[in-house]
Amino acid sequence: MIHFVLLISRQGKVRLTKWYSPYSQKERTKVIRELGGVILSRGPKLCNFVDWRGFKVVYKRYASLYFCMCIDQDDNELEVLEIIHHFVEILDRYFGSVCELDLIFNFHKAYYILDELLLAGELQESSKKTVARLIAAQDSLVETAKEQASSISNIIAQATK
Amino acid sequence: MSGPSLMDSLFQRSLEDIIKGLRQQLIGEQAFISKALDEIRKEIKSTDLSTKSTALLKLSYLSNLHFHDMSFAAFPALEVLSSPRFSHKKIAYHAISFSFHDSTPVLLLITNHLRKDLNSTNEFEVSLSLQCLSRIANVDLARDLTPEVFTLLSSNKLYVRKRAVAVVLRVFEKYPDSVRVCFKRLVENLENSDPQILSSVVGVFSELACKDPRSYLPLAPEFYKILVDSKSNWISIKVLKIFSKLAPLEPRLAKRVVEPVCDLLRNTGAKSLLFECIRTVVTSLSEYESAVRLAVGKVREFLMDDDPNLKYLGLQALRIVAEKHLWAVSENKEVVIKSLSDADPNIKIESLRLVMAMVSEHNVSEISRVLVNYALKSDPVFCNEILGSILSTCSRNLYEIIVDFDWYVSLLGEMSRIPHCQMGEEIENQLIDIGLRVKDVRPELVRVARYLLIDPALLGNSFLHSVLSAAAWASGEYVEFSRNPLELMEALLQPRTSLLPPSIRGIYIQSAFKVLVFCLHTCFVRGGSIVPSASLNNLPAGVSASASYESFDEFSVENGADVTVVHGQTRASAPITKESIVNLLNLVELALGPLLGSHDVEVQERARNLLGIVDLTKPEVLNSSVQEKDDSEGKGVETSQIIKLMHDAFSKELGPVSLSAQGKVSLPDGLVLKENLGDLEMICGDIEPPSSNSFSFGSPYEEKDGLSFSNLQIKEDSEQSNESTSLLAEHRKRHGLYYLPSGKSELISNDYPPANDPTLQCDINDNDDNLVKITAESLVPKRKPNHGKPRPVVVKLNEVDEKPVAMKQPESRDGSLSGAVRDVLFGREDIPPTSSQSNLSNKPSSKRKGKEKQHTDPHLESKENVIDDGNSSSRRKDRSHGKERRHRSPRKKNFEERKDTDQKEKEKSRRHHGRHKSRQRAEEPLKVTAQTPVIPDFLL
């Protein structure tokens, strides 16, 4: 299974973290510091796998972002690379040629997409189209709720409460 | 009330404002964040859910990416969760699954929220709730929500169902009893035609099978069907993973699976699937030669590929093959060796491991040579990686693959001189270990030690200090092989030794002590004829000790002719004359004088010892060099007696001592050990009695009065200590802080308990004989007929095997889950789910065996079992019915879909499974006995 997903920028800034195994806040910072050091220092033409504390970390760089996933020893590294690529493609489709800024400003959306893709550390949805559809459906749910909330009548109702 | 007003919620900063503000960094990141956190703290108390949820969103952003604690928002998050709005729920769920953990206090309150959402008609809410459950589930949550998850497992919304399936894994982990409820539905989902659901289920089973494959053997037919029919690579990979766990347990299954796997291997275009096939073949189907050949062919393609990923994975696969098919590595030798200089450190390490896998006693020296050259050229990290693997490979199984120890010792010396070497401690251990175990290598050891000691540059490298301590110890202990003790003395006392840490300095001084005693002895007792031979006989115990020394000398003469050569050279090249002795004594005084004021007790005390003997002998030496021999006869005898005693004490051989040695020491008469120690145990409880772990060198005192005295002393000691240690222990218990940890090892690892127990003195000769005999016996089967040079004797000891214990541990952890799964699959409800692993594995196997003899159909039997046991709770009865149905359904399908032969095979496989298990059990004790050492020696 996938234990966690990290997105780290080339400057070492964390863009997204998702933990599927229990890690305390302290451990999380430590993990990120450690792995950031290991992965960012690796050259461009090396393999995408790092052995780390008995686990394997599969990472891939897309533009300025490193996508990292930590998996068990007997998991399939190439499969995880494909999952990463899958995730990137979905992001790309959703944001329309995604860039780091998209993820910075829509940090929660990136999470929601990831949540559609992975659950409990396993791949849930292998179809890009389905993920796009699901996300769109949820977005519309959120939007209608927001519209309700921000309507003038709602504000007035609240103020006079 | 200071609650936020409407204005606050109108002008609340959104997440985007925070992100923008952070990026502009007008007031510095930390300041900005703390300001934002203050705002959030205020906003999160708002009664307006929109304000609250925005605050929560901002907080989870800061917590996620800037790692700020958000535990204070646990309750507000629950409040947001109760909002009817989907957007709020989403934010709340996200925050909760990120921040909640098992000890979050409000975890109890979330159960109802989750339950409500799990029952929601909105599939997205259900999904959110499931997602959250998968992350934060603890025992209580898993138990309370099992019914809901169970319902969702057969939901007609595929989206919900597949997520429920994935979550079941976590529920099982946390609350194994839920297996009884949910397992049947989970298995039913295996026959679902929807690939997404199938992928989910197979994913769950591959995780479950990782932990306890045996329980899932009965499901093999279902998995087989999926393997053959699957069109999706994702599913195939997971199924292969399951089979790679199941196949080793059941040879018939392996036989059936090998063909489809090979088909996949040949036909698939996806590298990930191809790699999974390769890995399945090399890990689990390695008996099938043709399959392995095919897989190795594909591995070769990987190795030739330019993609470093494939190369890395190819090497990894090769390493797995190497365990059983070394030819696969040899075939790809060039690629492997070439990869040693790859740009990627990971690839280098993989290829290094492969190279080490190829090492045998025939090629160990060439491979080590190549590797040491690589180590010289490579970066520090990889260099140490190489050295570490050479050290561990060569020392494996008591230096099994080393034939030429002289070569190995000089290799160790060479390795420690490599600039990046940081393996000092390992080299130290091996040098001492080899010195103790292998007699023949000692001259070479001393030579290597000399080269290390004599180089002042090495003293500056702190990584080498431990190697130097080993070198110092070896050259002191085996000083009789030294070519030039005087030079050695200078090396040991050179000014740069001040760079050493005190503990090692102490070893240096102690070695200098030994060297000095040796020189004095050679000069006075052997070389100079000052001492009349009659005086030797005045020492009753000294004679026996010297006899043992003589016997050792003879032994070494017998064994290696070169030893005598060294002896001859010693005297020829560096004759120890009076003048040199005087110089030596002056040198010692000069070098150690300042150390009398050393702050380190070890250094100070040893220096004092050494200076004491210098003070004692110096006037003597000066006198005798000036005056006639006869004048100083009276005093000379005394001095030389002391020297003789010292020498005898030091020249007694220190052997490795078995951990269980103490048990073999026979209790001296009149020594009552048990009574007082019983009291001690009550007082001490869990505290280990303090034991000295370093060698103690036989004191001349003991030698003089022989066995009786030392026994007496021990008796006295123990009587005193019974009283005092109990007090001490109590004190230690109370003020443990101020005591050293009791397991501290200093120069030598714990493997060697103190060597000066009484039997050492009385039995030493016997033991020498034993040693020769026993080691000769133990070596017979291993000795290869055509060595140019016979492998020297390596002294072996009882090794304490901790492996079985370590291997049992992980099993027991998963015990309850796998136990529950077995219960469901094998139709066993009579075992309480909490029973330990060993219990479980015993019961089914023994029962099954009996059953199969009596009945033809185990399932009938299992049903009877249930009824016989008469379950009291109705819930249990319900489950047992469900289970029965579950057992029938795949059966029925089998009859429909498969031919009778299949059915039989499955039947057989099941039966075999039962047998296999019992066989395994029978093997266990056997293994244990095999692991316990055959040689009953305790002190060699």
Side-chain angles (χ1 to χ4, degrees):
Chain A
M1 67 172 272
I2 297 167
H3 293 279
F4 54 78
V5 178
L6 297 180
L7 262 65
I8 306 175
S9 79
R10 209 152 51 95
Q11 290 79 29
K13 283 243 188 285
V14 186
R15 294 304 179 204
L16 186 146
T17 60
K18 180 83 192 175
W19 311 86
Y20 295 101
S21 298
Y23 289 88
S24 72
Q25 193 77 320
K26 222 179 188 172
E27 285 168 334
R28 289 174 184 178
T29 358
K30 200 170 158 228
V31 165
I32 290 171
R33 211 179 321 117
E34 250 177 56
L35 275 181
V38 173
I39 288 169
L40 296 182
S41 63
R42 282 175 65 83
K45 279 185 183 160
L46 310 181
C47 72
N48 296 109
F49 318 124
V50 179
D51 271 329
W52 175 78
R53 295 207 211 156
F55 295 105
K56 288 188 294 201
V57 175
V58 179
Y59 72 93
K60 192 153 169 70
R61 185 178 158 181
Y62 287 90
S64 57
L65 269 185
Y66 286 88
F67 290 70
C68 321
M69 293 190 181
C70 171
I71 52 172
D72 285 321
Q73 270 304 328
D74 50 2
D75 278 332
N76 190 321
E77 293 94 332
L78 294 173
E79 183 197 13
V80 176
L81 271 182
E82 279 172 38
I83 293 178
I84 291 178
H85 188 70
H86 195 59
F87 181 42
V88 174
E89 277 185 331
I90 292 170
L91 287 175
D92 204 49
R93 196 179 274 226
Y94 183 78
F95 289 107
S97 75
V98 68
C99 66
E100 199 182 334
L101 269 186
D102 287 325
L103 295 184
I104 293 170
F105 281 104
N106 296 290
F107 120 103
H108 49 298
K109 289 199 172 147
Y111 274 103
Y112 300 151
I113 294 175
L114 187 61
D115 283 347
E116 290 306 318
L117 193 66
L118 298 174
L119 178 70
E122 299 283 341
L123 182 77
Q124 272 294 301
E125 183 56 70
S126 54
S127 152
K128 281 167 241 162
K129 222 186 240 167
T130 318
V131 174
R133 189 172 52 75
L134 291 169
I135 294 287
Q138 295 186 45
D139 277 354
S140 71
L141 265 180
V142 172
E143 282 310 314
T144 49
K146 256 195 195 141
E147 270 164 33
Q148 271 177 13
S150 57
S151 66
I152 297 288
S153 59
N154 195 303
I155 294 177
I156 292 169
Q158 216 183 34
T160 53
K161 197 160 49 180
Chain B
M1 190 188 138
S2 65
S5 65
L6 172 66
M7 293 307 278
D8 284 335
S9 59
L10 262 184
F11 295 102
Q12 184 188 20
R13 286 203 283 183
S14 69
L15 174 62
E16 202 171 319
D17 297 334
I18 296 259
I19 297 171
K20 276 185 183 149
L22 264 176
R23 285 176 66 79
Q24 280 165 352
Q25 289 198 347
L26 290 175
I27 53 170
E29 190 177 285
Q30 281 313 315
F32 185 86
I33 289 178
S34 59
K35 189 158 160 271
L37 278 174
D38 284 345
E39 281 171 16
I40 289 168
R41 272 176 216 276
K42 219 185 289 163
E43 287 162 12
I44 212 155
K45 289 190 192 114
S46 154
T47 49
D48 176 33
L49 280 176
S50 300
T51 316
K52 216 190 231 332
S53 68
T54 310
L56 192 61
L57 182 63
K58 290 193 286 186
L59 183 59
S60 57
Y61 173 80
L62 291 179
S63 175
N64 249 306
L65 302 186
H66 297 272
F67 308 104
H68 284 278
D69 179 46
M70 62 180 289
S71 54
F72 67 89
F75 191 72
L78 280 184
E79 287 176 314
V80 178
L81 192 61
S82 64
S83 160
R85 283 205 197 114
F86 182 67
S87 56
H88 294 171
K89 268 195 201 313
K90 216 167 174 179
I91 291 168
Y93 271 122
H94 180 233
I96 288 171
S97 49
F98 180 79
S99 65
F100 276 30
H101 45 88
D102 280 357
S103 52
T104 302
V106 295
L107 204 58
L108 288 171
L109 302 176
I110 204 177
T111 318
N112 275 324
H113 290 293
L114 286 177
R115 184 175 289 139
K116 200 178 118 235
D117 286 335
L118 284 175
N119 291 324
S120 161
T121 48
N122 182 341
E123 56 183 351
F124 296 118
E125 283 180 5
V126 181
S127 149
L128 281 177
S129 178
L130 281 172
Q131 211 145 41
C132 184
L133 181 63
S134 82
R135 181 60 203 83
I136 65 169
N138 63 359
V139 182
D140 292 334
L141 274 176
R143 188 188 55 226
D144 294 343
L145 296 175
T146 298
E148 275 74 24
V149 175
F150 172 70
T151 320
L152 293 178
L153 276 179
S154 57
S155 161
N156 50 12
K157 289 176 185 153
L158 290 183
Y159 176 70
V160 170
R161 199 201 282 198
K162 74 176 185 197
R163 300 196 147 230
V165 166
V167 170
V168 153
L169 178 64
R170 292 307 154 85
V171 177
F172 281 3
E173 264 170 25
K174 297 288 176 190
Y175 180 61
D177 268 4
S178 62
V179 170
R180 297 169 195 284
V181 182
C182 298
F183 200 74
K184 186 187 135 230
R185 283 215 175 153
L186 187 63
V187 174
E188 278 169 4
N189 277 316
L190 270 179
E191 276 137 38
N192 201 297
S193 56
D194 183 80
Q196 296 298 332
I197 290 194
L198 206 54
S199 153
S200 239
V201 184
V202 173
V204 169
F205 275 110
S206 79
E207 286 293 317
L208 286 172
C210 273
K211 286 176 185 127
D212 173 45
R214 198 167 288 281
S215 303
Y216 305 95
L217 267 178
L219 292 172
E222 280 83 359
F223 295 139
Y224 182 79
K225 192 164 152 276
I226 295 171
L227 177 70
V228 177
D229 296 346
S230 160
K231 297 276 181 296
S232 155
N233 287 346
W234 304 103
I235 298 177
S236 300
I237 289 175
K238 297 264 188 254
V239 174
L240 281 172
K241 217 171 269 172
I242 297 176
F243 276 116
S244 71
K245 294 285 182 301
L246 298 188
L249 303 174
E250 175 51 70
R252 282 159 197 280
L253 183 63
K255 200 174 156 197
R256 272 190 77 82
V257 164
V258 69
E259 210 30 60
V261 173
C262 285
D263 281 345
L264 271 179
L265 201 57
R266 278 186 214 103
N267 302 326
T268 183
K271 290 279 190 258
S272 52
L273 182 55
L274 182 59
F275 179 61
E276 196 60 47
C277 290
I278 292 174
R279 191 144 63 180
T280 308
V281 169
V282 297
T283 49
S284 311
L285 304 169
S286 54
E287 302 89 86
Y288 298 89
E289 192 74 20
S290 61
V292 174
R293 288 240 165 244
L294 186 63
V296 171
K298 294 286 180 188
V299 168
R300 200 174 169 75
E301 283 173 28
F302 272 30
L303 290 177
M304 297 304 177
D305 205 291
D306 285 336
D307 185 351
N309 286 340
L310 296 184
K311 199 168 177 182
Y312 175 74
L313 294 177
L315 288 170
Q316 237 179 16
L318 215 50
R319 197 176 88 213
I320 306 172
V321 191
E323 284 163 25
K324 284 177 184 150
H325 303 271
L326 206 56
W327 54 264
V329 189
S330 327
E331 267 179 22
N332 297 298
K333 200 156 70 184
E334 306 82 51
V335 192
V336 173
I337 299 277
K338 221 170 78 190
S339 309
L340 271 181
S341 42
D342 199 279
D344 190 336
N346 291 350
I347 291 183
K348 284 202 280 193
I349 287 176
E350 273 308 314
S351 56
L352 173 64
R353 287 177 187 159
L354 271 176
V355 171
M356 291 331 281
M358 287 193 280
V359 169
S360 70
E361 60 186 79
H362 304 290
N363 58 12
V364 61
S365 64
E366 295 107 81
I367 289 184
S368 302
R369 169 82 16 240
V370 172
L371 287 179
V372 168
N373 285 339
Y374 264 108
L376 276 169
K377 283 183 285 181
S378 55
D379 57 305
V381 178
F382 190 54
C383 169
N384 283 300
E385 201 69 48
I386 292 180
L387 297 182
S389 58
I390 295 179
L391 287 170
S392 62
T393 310
C394 290
S395 64
R396 200 173 46 208
N397 250 340
L398 292 180
Y399 314 97
E400 196 176 45
I401 57 168
I402 305 289
V403 176
D404 184 355
F405 275 93
D406 286 357
W407 162 79
Y408 186 57
V409 167
S410 52
L411 180 75
L412 286 177
E414 200 177 320
M415 273 159 57
S416 51
R417 283 169 163 274
I418 291 175
H420 297 308
C421 174
Q422 293 172 8
M423 308 300 294
E425 277 175 29
E426 182 58 28
I427 296 178
E428 171 199 9
N429 286 341
Q430 292 198 9
L431 281 176
I432 292 176
D433 198 38
I434 292 175
L436 291 171
R437 289 181 193 275
V438 189
K439 274 184 178 156
D440 298 359
V441 82
R442 285 171 192 169
E444 178 67 15
L445 183 63
V446 170
R447 199 184 63 76
V448 170
R450 173 185 168 271
Y451 276 116
L452 292 172
L453 290 177
I454 220 161
D455 187 350
L458 297 182
L459 286 165
N461 181 351
S462 63
F463 290 115
L464 284 186
H465 284 168
S466 45
V467 180
L468 290 176
S469 83
W473 178 81
S475 51
E477 184 62 25
Y478 308 117
V479 61
E480 65 265 21
F481 300 115
S482 173
R483 283 165 194 233
N484 188 348
L486 302 177
E487 177 196 62
L488 184 62
M489 196 68 165
E490 279 167 19
L492 286 172
L493 295 176
Q494 61 183 294
R496 271 174 75 89
T497 51
S498 58
L499 294 170
L500 291 169
S503 58
I504 295 177
R505 207 145 186 221
I507 296 167
Y508 263 66
I509 299 170
Q510 182 70 14
S511 292
F513 195 3
K514 291 180 194 170
V515 176
L516 180 66
V517 168
F518 176 78
C519 292
L520 289 171
H521 183 261
T522 342
C523 180
F524 287 101
V525 183
R526 286 193 165 184
S529 54
I530 307 169
V531 185
S533 58
S535 70
L536 280 174
N537 297 330
N538 295 341
L539 311 162
V543 174
S544 72
S546 78
S548 76
Y549 176 62
E550 292 304 326
S551 75
F552 165 63
D553 248 6
E554 278 164 29
F555 179 76
S556 60
V557 169
E558 278 166 17
N559 259 13
D562 43 358
V563 176
T564 48
V565 173
V566 173
H567 264 290
Q569 280 176 351
T570 306
R571 275 169 218 138
S573 63
I576 299 172
T577 59
K578 287 276 159 47
E579 293 88 279
S580 60
I581 290 285
V582 173
N583 287 339
L584 201 62
L585 293 177
N586 287 334
L587 175 71
V588 171
E589 273 183 332
L590 191 68
L592 295 185
L595 289 183
L596 289 178
S598 168
H599 288 299
D600 190 86
V601 278
E602 186 82 359
V603 172
Q604 194 197 26
E605 186 154 321
R606 289 186 194 273
R608 219 168 258 287
N609 281 346
L610 188 43
L611 285 176
I613 195 155
V614 170
D615 287 345
L616 191 72
T617 48
K618 199 172 180 186
E620 192 56 38
V621 174
L622 289 176
N623 279 345
S624 63
S625 61
V626 178
Q627 295 171 9
E628 283 294 300
K629 302 171 196 171
D630 300 329
D631 291 351
S632 59
E633 177 129 329
K635 215 181 175 191
V637 169
E638 197 183 295
T639 314
S640 57
Q641 269 180 14
I642 291 168
I643 292 170
K644 177 92 181 88
L645 280 171
M646 292 283 209
H647 181 70
D648 289 343
F650 283 144
S651 58
K652 183 185 293 165
E653 192 184 355
L654 295 171
V657 180
S658 158
L659 281 176
S660 56
Q662 189 64 48
K664 307 270 183 133
V665 179
S666 56
L667 201 65
D669 290 338
L671 180 63
V672 188
L673 279 175
K674 269 190 183 153
E675 286 178 14
N676 289 326
L677 282 178
D679 294 348
L680 198 66
E681 203 160 335
M682 274 173 56
I683 297 165
C684 290
D686 48 351
I687 301 168
E688 299 231 328
S691 61
S692 68
N693 290 316
S694 55
F695 275 113
S696 43
F697 301 97
S699 72
Y701 213 30
E702 268 176 41
E703 295 293 350
K704 196 171 191 172
D705 291 30
L707 193 56
S708 62
F709 179 77
S710 69
N711 272 353
L712 194 72
Q713 200 181 17
I714 285 171
K715 209 196 292 176
E716 276 173 7
D717 277 356
S718 60
E719 271 166 7
Q720 283 171 2
S721 65
N722 280 338
E723 204 179 330
S724 58
T725 41
S726 67
L727 286 173
L728 187 70
E730 220 166 358
H731 192 260
R732 173 187 266 266
K733 203 172 181 180
R734 214 171 294 155
H735 307 280
L737 187 64
Y738 303 111
Y739 283 87
L740 290 172
S742 51
K744 193 193 172 198
S745 63
E746 212 184 41
L747 156 64
I748 290 135
S749 66
N750 289 346
D751 298 359
Y752 313 116
N756 66 338
D757 43 2
T759 46
L760 183 82
Q761 284 145 29
C762 59
D763 291 350
I764 191 151
N765 291 328
D766 297 8
N767 277 328
D768 263 355
D769 295 345
N770 280 344
L771 176 147
V772 176
K773 203 168 65 195
I774 290 164
T775 43
E777 277 167 15
S778 68
L779 272 178
V780 166
K782 278 184 188 147
R783 183 171 285 162
K784 295 268 156 38
N786 51 353
H787 289 318
K789 188 173 159 188
R791 187 171 185 269
V793 177
V794 180
V795 179
K796 291 181 185 174
L797 290 172
N798 295 352
E799 299 296 328
V800 178
D801 252 315
E802 284 165 21
K803 272 180 204 158
V805 181
M807 277 161 73
K808 264 171 207 157
Q809 273 170 345
E811 268 181 61
S812 61
R813 201 184 46 202
D814 299 327
S816 48
L817 174 56
S818 56
V821 172
R822 274 179 213 199
D823 288 354
V824 173
L825 274 176
F826 294 120
R828 196 162 311 278
E829 297 251 323
D830 48 343
I831 300 163
T834 45
S835 70
S836 72
Q837 176 71 23
S838 63
N839 235 342
L840 278 172
S841 62
N842 283 352
K843 268 196 193 168
S845 55
S846 57
K847 280 201 177 173
R848 286 187 72 80
K849 253 177 103 182
K851 249 181 266 162
E852 275 156 22
K853 273 176 206 153
Q854 294 159 9
H855 301 271
T856 41
D857 187 356
H859 297 285
L860 203 69
E861 166 67 14
S862 70
K863 199 169 79 187
E864 278 177 21
N865 232 0
V866 174
I867 295 163
D868 283 352
D869 285 341
N871 288 323
S872 50
S873 82
S874 60
R875 225 162 58 126
R876 283 193 131 197
K877 256 178 209 160
D878 273 344
R879 282 196 213 129
S880 71
H881 285 303
K883 174 215 67 205
E884 244 174 86
R885 245 180 285 133
R886 129 98 203 95
H887 268 289
R888 263 175 210 163
S889 62
R891 299 252 121 198
K892 237 189 285 165
K893 288 215 173 66
N894 285 341
F895 278 114
E896 287 158 14
E897 286 169 18
R898 252 157 260 169
K899 285 172 282 174
D900 265 4
T901 48
D902 267 21
Q903 180 62 25
K904 256 180 219 162
E905 184 155 296
K906 194 179 152 198
E907 198 59 66
K908 254 190 249 166
S909 83
R910 286 193 180 202
R911 205 169 301 150
H912 191 90
H913 170 205
R915 223 184 301 142
H916 192 83
K917 214 190 279 172
S918 59
R919 201 205 307 145
Q920 176 117 351
R921 228 164 18 89
E923 268 167 18
E924 262 166 38
L926 264 180
K927 251 187 259 161
V928 172
T929 47
Q931 275 164 351
T932 50
V934 191
I935 310 167
D937 57 346
F938 73 100
L939 193 92
L940 290 174

